[in-house]
Amino acid sequence: MLVLQGTIPFEIITEQKITMWLFIYHLITPCFIFCLAEEGNKGYGPVFEEQPIDTIYPEESSDGQVSMNCRARAIPFPTYRWKLNNWDIDLTKDRYSMVGGRLVINNPEKSRDAGKYVCVVSNIFGTVRSSEATLSFGYLDPFPPEERYEVKVREGVGAVLLCEPPYHYPDDLSYRWLLNEFPVFIALDKRRFVSQTNGNLYIANVEASDKGNYSCFVSSPSITKSVFSKFIPLIPQSDRAKVYPADIKVKFKDTYALLGQNVTLECFALGNPVPELRWSKYLEPMPATAEISMSGAVLKIFNIQYEDEGLYECEAENYKGKDKHQARVYVQAAPEWVEHINDTEKDIGSDLYWPCIATGNPIPTIRWLKNGASFRKGELRIQSLNFDDAGMYQCIAENTHGIIYANAELKIVASPPTFELNPMKKKILAAKGGRVIIECKPKAAPKPKFSWSKGTELLVNGSRIRIWDDGSLEIINITKLDEGRYTCFAENNRGKANSTGVLEMTEATRITLAPLNVDVTVGENATMQCIASHDPTLDLTFIWSLNGFVIDFEKEHEHYERNVMIKSNGELLIKNVQLRHAGRYTCTAQTIVDNSSASADLVVRGPPGPPGGIRVEEIRDTAVALTWSRGTDNHSPISKYTIQSKTFLSEEWKDAKTEPSDIEGNMESATVIDLIPWMEYEFRIIATNTLGTGEPSMPSQRIRTEGAPPNVAPSDVGGGGGSNRELTITWMPLSREYHYGNNFGYIVAFKPFGEKEWRRVTVTNPEIGRYVHKDESMPPSTQYQVKVKAFNNKGDGPFSLTAVIYSAQDAPTEIPTDVSVKVLSSSEMSVSWHHVSDKSVEGYQIRYWAAHDKEAAAQRVQVSNQEYSTKLENLKPNTRYHVDVSAFNSAGYGPPSRTIDVITRKAPPSQRPRIISSVRSGSRYIITWDHVKAMSNESAVEGYKVLYRPDGQHEGKLFSTGKHTIEVPVPSDGEYVVEVRAHSEGGDGEVAQIKISGATAGVPPLLLVLLVPALGVLACSGF
């Protein structure tokens, strides 16, 4: 006996009953599998509509929760679960909640919740895993509380203020610098630059105006937080400005960029004067998407491509010297699909090859998941598919830069043949003498076997009849006897079915008047005829094609037109024929059953086509040999060729001088002469015949002519002046076209007037036109002879004409005398002095600084040597100042005078007078105001100034009075403004004003006397 346990009560079953149960089981199981397959056609596995993304949660966030999104569509509705670092998340815990597929983490903690999250979605058809998403915790610590050390730098010297940002995550900080207080940010220019790589502030050369307190301001956009450092005092040290060569301090490193990203390279140099910055790509043009900003310090390449990879160079230069920096940019790419999998239905027992190809740099690897579990690597091939192979598949491509998923469902189908969805056509038409294919495409799995019958006759393959593997029936050389009923039979191991259609014969379509060959010249019209006969029960259409491509009459309506007025006539008109219209034209007369075609050639005569195969040979310094191959002559012999050239100095193509000067049409070589040595050239060739000049050829490969010694001397040689014990020599640099060779530079020769020996120095920078010779033994204002010539690796050029210049004069040695200072007010003083006797003096410098400041912070005013005094303005009231005066010339500053101490006046009264009345008395107005009382830190009131002026003008009549009242004339026309201000030794105080008018018509005198004082009060109150 055998005991079975199931959903029915326990019972004892005999061997006969066991046999019956096994029979029923084997009967039901295939039906169950078949039904499941049929049910699968109605439903589908999970398809992601939203997947989790990388998320940064600020550690200081007050939200108290973070969510990871996941949403998929599926029938039946799917279930969701989540994994953290490949471990299942226990969603029963209170700190987790689910809304659909969305995971919410309450009170997230870095130690427990940071990591990689995956959403897993399932239904009866299979399981898929989402792409991995990282949850990280962002933070930006405050700067350390320690004070920053002050930085002292001599004026003219470069400076770097270090930011040293605090600990943070992620590394996406942006940097700015505060000056003295928030929110005053320094403006960036050619002289100042803030690196977004390390946050440091770079100043090419420090000026007195740079004095102040600086703070590094750091922002994290990911967590929307900013912090700033303790202030760094920058103290410029006064010094005679010196020049320093360019010195690159901000250097971009070798950079790995992802295809399509934007790349930023930084380069900044210190130096005095401020260096000019130039960017280039080694031996290649700069990318078309490159953009230079921040006064040349930043190079941005937008949407970078593989061809943008290469060696980039930043060059910084001032007249004192130059510096270069190079680094390489590598372009790589995250995986991207070339071909990926899609939902697929396959017959049971068939084979599967699922191509899954991705591109990227480095080359991605391929692996597979089936229903969320690891399956295979590389390509996927499965033979003899069964129902166990059905499910959700994921192809995963990954490299060091990323990972991508392609999801698809594989359904295994098993069904008997059926024609319900795709029955045979009831009526099949075939042209007499033609060919017909009758399709037979039932739905069936596995693939059925096919057989055909005509009426009651079983058909077999023969000379005119063939049954294809896909079930289609082909019949050729159709006759009337082939008409009749045709039936297709389909059978597999699950059943069989058939479908029937009727074949009828029609008259064949034939071209009765075929197009003829036509020969025209460019610009003329051409006609192609085409007439056909066809079965009268069918519609006829004409299709024209040129060289196998169908003509689109809507797009080409300017040149093509066909005759639609006459039935069975497909005549083609070609208007304003161009060279591109030449070729073989085919007319196809077509019905729904068959077609017939005929062709003819259109020959178009016109200007020649472009020559080809240009080669540059025998490259010399001023000549090259060119060879080329003939282009099409377009049926008119070529009469001559023209050679054109172009250099990188201009985008314009110019006719080149050649030997022979006239290049005949039967030639395929010539020599181009009178070229510039060591110059990059491109060449192109244009052919001409009696019908015109053709299109130019493709440019030749760019070449560079051989070098030669320079033959042009620099111009505008001169100089003189400069600092003490210096000889400054200047010239106009030669443009690139006169360099004639590599290693180009200048030889500068000079000697004192009257001496025989020339001293020579070499300047290797071709773009510099200045040389400064320093010699402590050089007498000032000494006459020198100078000349300059160019050189390159091939030799020297001729010297320029000799110029006469003078060495720099000495700085003044005399001290200005009789320096006196007169205080004018709380903010102004006048300084005067006697001139020194030195005739080389160009002007005088007045320095002044507050007693509580350091001398290094002194402000300076310079005046010409014609001035004996100047006014200092914008001073602080009631403040002790130190003042001195010194003479200067181009060589520098002389010794300062003795320092004079003065104290500015107290500030003028800050209280403005309060006008209490304005009364008209006959032809005059009487204006009255309250007395102004000065505060203890203000100058005492000495009187009042009253300005009487027309409204809208600034000029008027000024009165002074020690009283609190004044009389002014009644305006004869329009309105006047009366301004009143207190006057003191510290200057003038704040202004009070009132408007008065001469118009009094309609107002009784007594009422006017009462109204005017009140109006005066209102005016002073701001009404």
Side-chain angles (χ1 to χ4, degrees), residues 90 125 657 955 999 1020:
D90 186 357
F125 294 104
K657 192 173 181 180
E955 301 296 327
C1020 291

Side-chain angles (χ1 to χ4, degrees), residues 438-678:
I438 307 174
E439 292 185 340
C440 178
K441 294 185 176 180
K443 181 179 180 182
K447 179 181 176 181
K449 294 180 179 179
F450 296 96
S451 59
W452 283 85
S453 69
K454 178 190 176 189
T456 59
E457 177 189 358
L458 185 64
L459 300 179
V460 295
N461 288 339
S463 59
R464 293 178 54 247
I465 295 176
R466 181 187 169 203
I467 302 174
W468 291 6
D469 288 341
D470 67 356
S472 299
L473 175 66
E474 178 184 15
I475 307 174
I476 61 175
N477 298 328
I478 300 291
T479 66
K480 192 71 174 175
L481 295 175
D482 293 319
E483 290 185 330
R485 293 172 60 84
Y486 288 81
T487 301
C488 173
F489 298 92
E491 181 178 2
N492 65 11
N493 59 4
R494 298 183 178 274
K496 54 187 175 181
N498 63 75
S499 184
T500 300
V502 177
L503 176 65
E504 295 182 3
M505 189 188 75
T506 62
E507 290 297 323
T509 303
R510 307 228 182 271
I511 300 289
T512 57
L513 184 59
L516 301 176
N517 295 337
V518 181
D519 190 326
V520 295
T521 301
V522 168
E524 296 180 344
N525 295 341
T527 300
M528 292 277 191
Q529 60 189 7
C530 186
I531 299 177
S533 63
H534 65 291
D535 191 295
T537 63
L538 303 175
D539 292 329
L540 178 68
T541 58
F542 288 91
I543 297 172
W544 283 92
S545 61
L546 170 59
N547 297 328
F549 295 94
V550 175
I551 297 172
D552 187 330
F553 285 89
E554 288 188 5
K555 290 184 178 180
E556 299 280 348
H557 65 276
E558 292 184 3
H559 293 285
Y560 291 108
E561 186 179 301
R562 55 186 169 184
N563 190 341
V564 295
M565 303 301 294
I566 304 175
K567 190 175 181 182
S568 301
N569 189 338
E571 181 181 81
L572 172 67
L573 173 63
I574 310 170
K575 301 175 291 184
N576 186 22
V577 173
Q578 301 298 309
L579 289 171
R580 68 178 185 274
H581 297 140
R584 189 164 189 79
Y585 284 78
T586 300
C587 172
T588 301
Q590 179 175 290
T591 68
I592 60 172
V593 176
D594 67 338
N595 61 71
S596 180
S597 298
S599 300
D601 292 322
L602 174 64
V603 175
V604 181
R605 302 180 185 275
I614 303 178
R615 290 197 310 247
V616 185
E617 302 172 343
E618 300 178 23
I619 300 173
R620 300 189 292 275
D621 55 352
T622 60
V624 298
L626 291 185
T627 61
W628 62 90
S629 58
R630 294 168 55 86
T632 57
D633 62 8
N634 290 323
H635 311 288
S636 178
I638 296 172
S639 57
K640 70 170 186 175
Y641 289 101
T642 302
I643 298 178
Q644 294 183 326
S645 65
K646 183 179 74 168
T647 71
F648 76 92
L649 299 176
S650 171
E651 290 298 316
E652 181 182 359
W653 288 93
K654 298 179 181 179
D655 289 352
K657 192 173 181 180
T658 62
E659 285 184 356
S661 56
D662 295 324
I663 306 173
E664 297 180 356
N666 60 353
M667 298 178 63
E668 293 186 5
S669 65
T671 300
V672 182
I673 60 175
D674 290 352
L675 299 176
I676 299 173
W678 203 65

Side-chain angles (χ1 to χ4, degrees), residues 69-174:
N69 293 335
C70 181
R71 186 175 73 254
R73 68 176 187 273
I75 298 177
F77 194 79
T79 59
Y80 298 86
R81 55 193 176 92
W82 283 84
K83 289 178 174 288
L84 170 57
N85 297 328
N86 226 21
W87 292 87
D88 285 332
I89 294 177
D90 186 357
L91 298 175
T92 61
K93 293 183 177 180
D94 292 340
R95 57 194 315 271
Y96 299 110
S97 58
M98 286 266 288
V99 180
R102 178 167 167 258
L103 174 66
V104 179
I105 307 170
N106 297 307
N107 301 317
E109 299 176 11
K110 182 177 180 179
S111 60
R112 300 169 64 179
D113 300 313
K116 295 183 177 180
Y117 286 75
V118 173
C119 174
V120 183
V121 188
S122 304
N123 73 357
I124 60 172
F125 294 104
T127 301
V128 289
R129 293 167 57 104
S130 72
S131 55
E132 289 183 343
T134 301
L135 173 61
S136 36
F137 287 73
Y139 61 92
L140 175 59
D141 289 348
F143 277 92
E146 290 79 18
E147 295 293 332
R148 297 280 188 114
Y149 293 108
E150 67 181 19
V151 177
K152 295 182 179 180
V153 185
R154 295 196 312 276
E155 291 181 11
V157 177
V160 181
L161 301 186
L162 302 182
C163 178
E164 296 178 338
Y167 292 114
H168 58 274
Y169 182 86
D171 194 16
D172 61 348
L173 301 183
S174 63

Side-chain angles (χ1 to χ4, degrees), residues 212-265:
N213 297 312
Y214 292 77
S215 171
C216 182
F217 187 86
V218 181
S219 299
S220 174
S222 297
I223 62 173
T224 61
K225 181 182 178 181
S226 300
V227 294
F228 58 89
S229 70
K230 288 286 187 178
F231 282 93
I232 304 172
L234 175 62
I235 304 173
Q237 302 291 296
S238 178
D239 191 8
R240 184 171 66 88
K242 296 182 179 179
V243 293
Y244 299 94
D247 182 12
I248 295 177
K249 290 298 184 184
V250 179
K251 300 180 179 180
F252 59 99
K253 300 178 180 178
D254 285 350
T255 302
Y256 288 83
L258 289 184
L259 186 71
Q261 280 187 340
N262 301 333
V263 176
T264 300
L265 306 179

Side-chain angles (χ1 to χ4, degrees), residues 815-819 833 847 883-887 894-900:
I815 299 173
T817 59
D818 293 337
V819 177
W833 59 91
R847 296 193 309 161
V883 183
D884 64 27
V885 182
S886 59
S897 68
R898 66 180 180 85
T899 301
I900 298 179

